[in-house]
Amino acid sequence: MTKKKDIYSVESELTSILNNIVKKAQMKGNAPNTIDEALRLLINQMIGSGLRERTIRDYKINITHFIKQTKIHRLEEINADTIYRWLAEMQVSNQTKLTRLKCLKAFLNRCFDNGWLSTRFWTSIKIKVDKKTKPGTNESDILKLLLNLDLSSFVEFRDATAILLLYQTGIRVGTLGNLKESHLDLDRSKLILDGEIMKNHEVLILPFDDDLKQFFKVLIKQNNHIREEYNKTNNYLFITKFGDKVSNDINNNIKRRLHYYSKKYSIANINPHAIRRGFARSLLDQGADITLISKALGHSDIQVTTRYLHIDKEEVAERLRNYL
């Protein structure tokens, strides 16, 4: 006689739930007794996942500081009140408090993910910080740098072309390193960026002037000579003096060289991010609206653009006056 089938299958309906119950119980049973022990376990996890030494060191410093200042040693003793008390007793700027709070929150998030804490009570804890926006590079600084560069040197000529391109188009330095000569439309003096090399993966078309167009023509000719000399076959716009692709190191390379030029020629505000801000500010000063600038920068959020523009309250008032 065939055994009558149950109305529902325990195995299919309840096994996953049972496994979750067991898993939570096991995690709870293995939960560390102290914050120190939790920190030690998390550091082992972070080392295993290949986290940077500097990040791990920040965890050690800030969590140890929390324990010392609050005299709290058990995870379950941590709550919003103890965190606020810890922050209130710090004799440091709000920016430093925010940095330390972020580290503590990251630590608590990892504890929660391990099942050692039952709620994320810390998510509502905030510190208000007025973020200072660094000004962008101005045109006089760009011109000063370009006039000091030796354009008879391939590397410095390449750098001059890169600097002009950054200032005239506002593209990110990461995009710069992946540019190919095929991204240039010299007949129409336009840079055509496909989604593959853009941070937001959207196509962007940007114009450049005749001076930069001539720089591009010379750079392409020099690139061809170098590739032929070293038997290279790539099509990248910015290459090393040996004909290799520089995009793998373009962020550090360009930043490092701009830092070198900044020191050598006493130009304080020269770096890829400042040049990008300078591009945005230049457009604003020439009458471009924020929506257009945001599109040119490839921003998905216009609020990011307003921070780039470094507009203070007085300037907002003066600009609004023009519409009265």
Side-chain angles (χ1 to χ4, degrees):
M1 181 176 177
T2 306
K3 185 179 178 181
K4 187 178 180 180
K5 191 175 180 180
D6 292 337
I7 296 175
Y8 61 87
S9 170
V10 173
E11 184 176 357
S12 63
E13 299 291 336
L14 300 180
T15 297
S16 61
I17 298 175
L18 182 60
N19 285 339
N20 285 335
I21 293 172
V22 172
K23 185 178 179 181
K24 288 178 181 179
Q26 287 174 339
M27 284 185 170
K28 188 174 182 181
N30 293 327
N33 293 318
T34 65
I35 301 173
D36 274 326
E37 187 180 348
L39 179 60
R40 178 177 57 79
L41 292 172
L42 289 179
I43 286 174
N44 288 336
Q45 290 178 4
M46 288 186 279
I47 292 173
S49 63
L51 222 61
R52 294 186 309 168
E53 288 185 12
R54 179 178 176 181
T55 303
I56 295 172
R57 187 173 65 250
D58 288 343
Y59 270 83
K60 289 180 180 178
I61 292 172
N62 289 300
I63 304 309
T64 301
H65 181 270
F66 176 82
I67 296 170
K68 183 179 178 180
Q69 292 300 115
T70 62
K71 295 181 173 56
I72 288 175
H73 297 281
R74 301 182 68 84
L75 279 176
E76 61 266 27
E77 294 177 313
I78 303 176
N79 55 43
D81 288 339
T82 58
I83 294 175
Y84 277 122
R85 188 172 75 246
W86 173 59
L87 294 170
E89 291 175 355
M90 292 183 199
Q91 301 300 313
V92 294
S93 68
N94 275 5
Q95 183 61 58
T96 301
K97 289 183 181 181
L98 180 61
T99 301
R100 293 177 180 177
L101 176 61
K102 284 182 178 179
C103 187
L104 178 63
K105 283 185 172 184
F107 168 78
L108 295 175
N109 280 328
R110 287 179 178 271
C111 289
F112 178 85
D113 292 340
N114 277 310
W116 304 337
L117 293 171
S118 59
T119 62
R120 296 180 188 267
F121 62 85
W122 52 89
T123 57
S124 62
I125 299 174
K126 310 288 184 184
I127 293 178
K128 186 176 180 180
V129 177
D130 292 328
K131 294 184 178 180
K132 294 182 178 180
T133 306
K134 295 180 180 179
T137 307
N138 57 48
E139 188 175 20
S140 63
D141 287 337
I142 295 291
L143 294 176
K144 180 179 178 181
L145 176 55
L146 292 175
L147 288 172
N148 277 289
L149 293 180
D150 179 7
L151 300 187
S152 66
S153 159
F154 170 74
V155 171
E156 294 201 13
F157 172 72
R158 179 202 67 194
D159 292 347
T161 307
I163 291 163
L164 270 174
L165 178 59
L166 288 172
Y167 190 69
Q168 285 196 18
T169 64
I171 63 172
R172 295 178 174 89
V173 70
T175 303
L176 179 81
N178 287 310
L179 285 177
K180 293 183 179 180
E181 293 175 4
S182 55
H183 287 115
L184 295 177
D185 184 340
L186 293 177
D187 292 333
R188 297 189 299 162
S189 297
K190 290 181 179 179
L191 185 65
I192 303 176
L193 305 172
D194 55 63
E196 290 185 4
I197 66 170
M198 295 294 291
K199 185 177 180 180
N200 62 1
H201 306 295
E202 293 184 3
V203 175
L204 184 64
I205 301 176
L206 297 165
F208 50 81
D209 67 14
D210 288 338
D211 292 330
L212 185 52
K213 178 178 179 178
Q214 295 308 312
F215 269 68
F216 283 143
K217 287 182 176 180
V218 175
L219 181 64
I220 290 172
K221 187 181 295 185
Q222 292 301 315
N223 286 349
N224 289 334
H225 289 321
I226 290 174
R227 282 191 283 257
E228 184 178 352
E229 176 71 21
Y230 293 99
N231 195 28
K232 306 293 181 177
T233 58
N234 65 68
N235 187 38
Y236 289 97
L237 183 59
F238 295 99
I239 60 175
T240 70
K241 60 183 178 181
F242 301 110
D244 297 313
K245 177 184 177 182
V246 296
S247 62
N248 290 336
D249 193 40
I250 194 69
N251 288 289
N252 292 331
N253 183 281
I254 292 296
K255 287 179 181 178
R256 185 168 61 248
R257 293 194 65 77
L258 285 176
H259 179 72
Y260 165 74
Y261 295 142
S262 175
K263 295 292 184 183
K264 183 176 181 179
Y265 303 121
S266 301
I267 308 174
N269 196 30
I270 288 285
N271 61 71
H273 201 60
I275 294 174
R276 183 166 157 85
R277 288 181 184 276
F279 162 77
R281 185 71 211 199
S282 176
L283 287 179
L284 182 70
D285 290 342
Q286 294 178 73
D289 63 62
I290 294 179
T291 302
L292 176 62
I293 298 170
S294 185
K295 289 289 186 182
L297 290 170
H299 285 162
S300 56
D301 186 348
I302 201 168
Q303 291 184 359
V304 178
T305 310
T306 59
R307 290 198 294 271
Y308 263 67
L309 295 174
H310 195 230
I311 304 175
D312 62 26
K313 295 180 177 60
E314 288 296 328
E315 185 174 355
V316 170
E318 290 303 313
R319 287 181 176 274
L320 287 173
R321 189 180 298 279
N322 296 327
Y323 297 94
L324 295 178

